[in-house]
Amino acid sequence: MSRNEGRDRSAVSVIGLGQMGTRLAQAFLAAGYRTTVWNRTPAKADALAAQGADRASTVGEAVSAGPLVVVCLPDYDTVHDLLEPEGERLRGRVLANLSSGTPEAARRMAGQVTGHGAAYLDGAAMSGTRLVGHPDALFVFSGSPDAFATQQDVLASLGRSVHLGDDPALASLYDTALFGLAWGALAGFYHAVALVGAGGVDPTAFAAVAMSHMPFVTSLMADHARHIQDGRYPNDDGTVDVHAAAMDHLVHASRAEGIGAEVPELIKSLLERAAGTGHGEDGIASVVELITKGRRDVRAG
Ligand SMILES: NC(=O)c1ccc[n+]([C@@H]2O[C@H](COP(=O)([O-])OP(=O)(O)OC[C@H]3O[C@@H](n4cnc5c(N)ncnc54)[C@H](OP(=O)(O)O)[C@@H]3O)[C@@H](O)[C@H]2O)c1
């Protein structure tokens, strides 16, 4: 007997079986939930059907199969085009949308979905496809708290599923912010690999040491978040001036090795501009004021 047998209706339907949707469906199956799948190109459901998924022949059939509909398509317009004709079938169900988009699109979709009498959860997969189904995979959701509470156990099959609040735009806001955070860290990593590589260091050997440096870096986030909240920037982790000088060394070292210096130049520029606005003796979290000021300037302009 497959793990899916013995349950009389689908716990979850997955619409869109691209790279991400396939991993989502696999995670639900692995957690023992009866899973119905639909994809525009039906052949992409073959492997999942072999793993125990029920195959829906239409979008409507997938929507009707159970209480939770998970959709993972390229963008919100595609989701809208596919699901709008199924509005009546959505009534009373929970739609969890894991397609990427903007906060505005999330709010718009929440209005459309709730207008059909369904509950809406906007979501974002924050750990690529490789960790889906693993406890370390982070999924963020926002929108109906009741819907999240009802479906929390099923959504926990995907990894660490976190509800951010009832504003459906929050998941998308976190998604974009965390994407930028990851890229900031990765840009620093790629630069560092190039620098040590110029000195003959193997990237994997460097990565092993770099990873052991990360707990220190993440510990700064918690402390600096408090500083930002208080609007006071203790300089226990070094002043803006000290960090600007150190970043200048990194720029020079990079140039001396003949590698690109764009990444440290960007950070040096931020630090120097922060110093120029009177934060030279403050802690480095004060750089946030410079960035936030950009927002005020845009609003004022
Ligand atoms: N892949 C990742 O690592 C990752 C990570 C985080 C978030 N995401 C987000 O997840 C979403 C899906 O990404 P993916 O990587 O799974 O994309 P993908 O591999 O390119 O798959 C796209 C899926 O959308 C379907 N599709 C495209 N246009 C359609 C249409 N007009 N009507 C019906 N179905 C349509 C495709 O169906 P066919 O098979 O018929 O083409 C396929 O199932 C995106 O919003 C992406 O940003 C992906």
Side-chain angles (χ1 to χ4, degrees):
M1 180 165 130
S2 88
R3 273 174 303 189
N4 272 341
E5 289 172 66
R7 298 187 188 211
D8 57 356
R9 63 198 296 248
S10 249
V12 55
S13 295
V14 180
I15 294 175
L17 303 175
Q19 286 188 354
M20 179 56 77
T22 297
R23 298 288 292 116
L24 302 177
Q26 283 169 341
F28 291 128
L29 284 168
Y33 288 106
R34 185 165 176 181
T35 304
T36 298
V37 295
W38 180 88
N39 193 59
R40 178 179 63 177
T41 306
K44 283 198 190 157
D46 290 352
L48 287 163
Q51 290 163 38
D54 294 334
R55 200 195 276 271
S57 52
T58 62
V59 175
E61 201 179 304
V63 170
S64 301
L68 174 62
V69 180
V70 173
V71 61
C72 190
L73 294 163
D75 51 49
Y76 284 54
D77 286 345
T78 310
V79 176
H80 177 264
D81 292 349
L82 271 189
L83 291 184
E84 193 57 22
E86 310 299 339
E88 204 38 56
R89 286 192 168 93
L90 276 171
R91 182 172 301 282
R93 302 180 201 282
V94 174
L95 178 70
N97 180 16
L98 282 160
S99 314
S100 301
T102 62
E104 299 77 41
R107 283 204 187 98
R108 202 163 45 243
M109 176 137 299
Q112 291 158 352
V113 170
T114 53
H116 291 304
Y120 184 70
L121 287 172
D122 202 83
M126 298 314 313
S127 310
T129 53
R130 66 160 81 186
L131 290 179
V132 176
H134 187 278
D136 285 345
L138 173 63
F139 283 79
V140 293
F141 292 93
S142 64
S144 167
D146 289 347
F148 185 77
T150 311
Q151 298 300 336
Q152 192 165 13
D153 288 348
V154 185
L155 295 173
S157 319
L158 303 177
R160 201 163 77 81
S161 289
V162 177
H163 188 253
L164 302 169
D166 58 7
D167 180 350
L170 275 175
S172 179
L173 192 63
Y174 270 66
D175 183 19
T176 45
L178 291 173
F179 181 69
L181 170 64
W183 256 102
L186 285 172
F189 174 69
Y190 300 143
H191 179 87
V193 166
L195 183 63
V196 297
V201 177
D202 179 72
T204 55
F206 176 72
V209 176
M211 284 167 66
S212 68
H213 182 49
M214 284 300 106
F216 165 69
V217 177
T218 54
S219 75
L220 293 185
M221 289 184 197
D223 284 350
H224 290 194
R226 270 195 307 280
H227 301 167
I228 292 165
Q229 201 165 35
D230 296 346
R232 290 188 300 112
Y233 306 102
N235 59 19
D236 308 359
D237 302 310
T239 64
V240 165
D241 281 342
V242 164
H243 279 260
M247 200 52 67
D248 196 42
H249 296 152
L250 180 53
V251 169
H252 278 90
S254 304
R255 289 191 187 134
E257 292 291 356
I259 69 162
E262 300 89 339
V263 175
E265 272 168 354
L266 169 67
I267 301 163
K268 179 175 169 244
S269 156
L270 275 175
L271 288 164
E272 287 179 350
R273 285 165 56 216
T277 55
H279 290 292
E281 288 299 316
D282 287 340
I284 52 176
S286 61
V287 165
V288 78
E289 296 226 338
L290 189 75
I291 300 168
T292 307
K293 183 176 177 299
R295 177 171 181 247
R296 286 199 294 270
D297 289 348
V298 167
R299 288 189 160 184

